[in-house]
Amino acid sequence: MGRILVIGAGGQLGTVLTNRLKEIYGEHQVIASDLRPIKAFTGLFELIDATDSGRIEEVVKQYEVEEVYHLAAILSANGEKNPLGTWEINMKTLFNVLEVSRLNGVKKVFYPSSIAVFGSEVEQQNTPQASFLNPSTVYGISKAAGENWAQYYFQKYGLDVRSLRYPGVIGYQSLPGGGTTDYAVDIYHKAVEEVSFSCFLEKDTTLPMIYMDDAIRATVELMQAPIESIKTRTSYNLAGMSFSPEEIAAAIKKIYPNFRITYEPDFRQQIAASWPQSIDDSRARDDWGWRPEYDLNTMTEDMIKNLKAKYSTSN
Ligand code: NAD
């Protein structure tokens, strides 16, 4: 198999995904890249600003890259601070990846979408795959457009672009990068540090979430699936679990009975309120066998065990 390039590898998902790809395909098969140097990576690393298509092309040619994971993006909450700049970055980086890939022999591209593509028009419970998309954020608008471009490049040029609509991703390995579900990572850090947590969402705001291990496994399984199994060419709905801040706090209290949470909703509450509460991922289950493994309690146990180990070695 040819080499794999991960763009935006230094972020919350990229850090974990890059290491997983190295475990599967070998240290020298995977090139990590980001805007800035990333200390965590030991193997091949290249600085790439994905708004610069020439630079992507240089690296793709140099390493004869055959698979690209395009993770670079400005996320939902950060994106609202500069809507036009977010549109520019999210779309330009995607077009650059698609064009460089199609013109330079890249065989497969992974493009992450998000539950942010859904808006007020959808059924909030078990949101179907084929829903009307009226996203409320510029991030969601860019992902909805991006999904359609992914399908367009597959249909028009035969570029094998595959995509998942990730729910909020929760992991101990890395910190989130400015999304609306970031609280669900931060809360575990506060629990393990034994300090109280101020939540930026209301206590009953239920959102779809997924544990990092499941999100990474879904990505790998989607990319390894035979081409004829991939029948959705925009982006697959993906579900792990759904919970509210009050419910995650209750799961944490089973381990830390004195854990305290307060609620101080900010602008992110409005974004969260426009998103589904749970997702119907039956197409992913039927087409390529997707099954999540973690629920709120098993995730909470694993998060706390790993964060405790992390904090005790860093002290
Ligand atoms: P993140 O913000 O943690 O990481 C993004 C990385 O991209 C950062 O390291 C950043 O330096 C890099 N980057 C930004 N602009 C770049 C550019 N112009 N060129 C090169 N690199 C650039 O994001 P994440 O949480 O790891 O998300 C990865 C992808 O998954 C994103 O496309 C995001 O939209 C999607 N996603 C994430 C979640 C989640 O909960 N984390 C949920 C849904 C979708």
Side-chain angles (χ1 to χ4, degrees):
M1 181 177 154
R3 286 215 165 104
I4 295 172
L5 172 63
V6 185
I7 295 178
Q12 188 200 4
L13 271 151
T15 315
V16 189
L17 179 64
T18 305
N19 288 331
R20 181 72 192 119
L21 293 172
K22 286 180 184 175
E23 280 167 20
I24 299 171
Y25 301 107
E27 176 89 15
H28 298 292
Q29 289 299 104
V30 182
I31 303 116
S33 76
D34 208 296
L35 280 176
R36 55 201 158 86
I38 309 290
K39 281 198 204 123
F41 295 126
T42 48
L44 296 168
F45 181 85
E46 294 288 340
L47 285 176
I48 295 182
D49 178 342
T51 60
D52 176 356
S53 69
R55 179 64 187 137
I56 303 175
E57 187 165 30
E58 225 170 69
V59 175
V60 163
K61 283 184 168 158
Q62 182 188 342
Y63 292 96
E64 297 176 354
V65 168
E66 286 192 359
E67 222 169 269
V68 176
Y69 290 72
H70 172 43
L71 305 179
I74 307 298
L75 305 194
S76 58
N78 275 352
E80 292 308 288
K81 295 172 192 161
N82 179 6
L84 296 186
T86 299
W87 172 260
E88 175 74 12
I89 289 173
N90 289 1
M91 297 316 294
K92 190 163 190 191
T93 57
L94 174 62
F95 288 137
N96 287 345
V97 167
L98 293 174
E99 273 298 278
V100 168
S101 295
R102 128 182 133 79
L103 297 171
N104 291 279
V106 171
K107 297 203 170 88
K108 266 190 218 172
V109 174
F110 176 72
Y111 172 63
S113 185
S114 162
I115 54 160
V117 295
F118 300 117
S120 57
E121 292 292 320
V122 300
E123 294 162 42
Q124 282 208 318
Q125 305 292 344
N126 259 331
T127 303
Q129 173 73 41
S131 296
F132 178 76
L133 304 182
N134 65 326
S136 65
T137 57
V138 66
Y139 169 75
I141 298 172
S142 73
K143 291 293 185 185
E147 290 183 357
N148 284 297
W149 279 105
Q151 174 168 264
Y152 183 87
Y153 267 71
F154 174 71
Q155 289 172 345
K156 186 155 178 104
Y157 303 115
L159 182 63
D160 188 359
V161 191
R162 304 182 180 194
S163 178
L164 296 171
R165 289 172 178 158
Y166 288 128
V169 181
I170 300 164
Y172 59 86
Q173 301 94 330
S174 48
L175 293 171
T180 304
T181 54
D182 290 10
Y183 91 85
V185 177
D186 200 17
I187 193 170
Y188 286 113
H189 286 263
K190 295 292 185 298
V192 171
E193 289 174 286
E194 300 192 35
V195 294
S196 67
F197 175 66
S198 162
C199 184
F200 59 72
L201 297 183
E202 302 270 18
K203 62 182 176 183
D204 56 354
T205 310
T206 299
L207 288 173
M209 303 277 189
I210 191 167
Y211 195 37
M212 181 68 81
D213 291 40
D214 276 339
I216 298 298
R217 189 168 50 77
T219 310
V220 169
E221 287 177 7
L222 173 82
M223 292 299 276
Q224 287 182 338
I227 192 162
E228 55 285 1
S229 306
I230 309 300
K231 294 173 191 143
T232 293
R233 282 294 173 175
T234 48
S235 187
Y236 277 100
N237 276 10
L238 186 75
M241 60 191 92
S242 282
F243 57 78
S244 64
E246 195 170 41
E247 286 164 337
I248 191 174
I252 289 171
K253 277 185 189 166
K254 289 182 193 165
I255 300 170
Y256 290 101
N258 296 329
F259 179 67
R260 234 175 69 78
I261 181 167
T262 55
Y263 300 95
E264 287 162 69
D266 65 16
F267 72 101
R268 288 167 281 194
Q269 175 61 35
Q270 207 182 341
I271 300 176
S274 76
W275 288 358
Q277 295 183 4
S278 60
I279 299 289
D280 173 6
D281 63 357
S282 49
R283 290 242 189 120
R285 289 169 182 261
D286 293 347
D287 288 0
W288 44 276
W290 164 242
R291 297 282 180 285
E293 281 176 6
Y294 285 86
D295 62 18
L296 177 56
N297 286 321
T298 50
M299 174 179 77
T300 299
E301 282 161 20
D302 206 57
M303 278 295 285
I304 289 178
K305 183 183 84 188
N306 281 289
L307 283 178
K308 265 169 98 171
K310 225 176 176 177
Y311 278 94
S312 71
T313 51
S314 66
N315 285 336

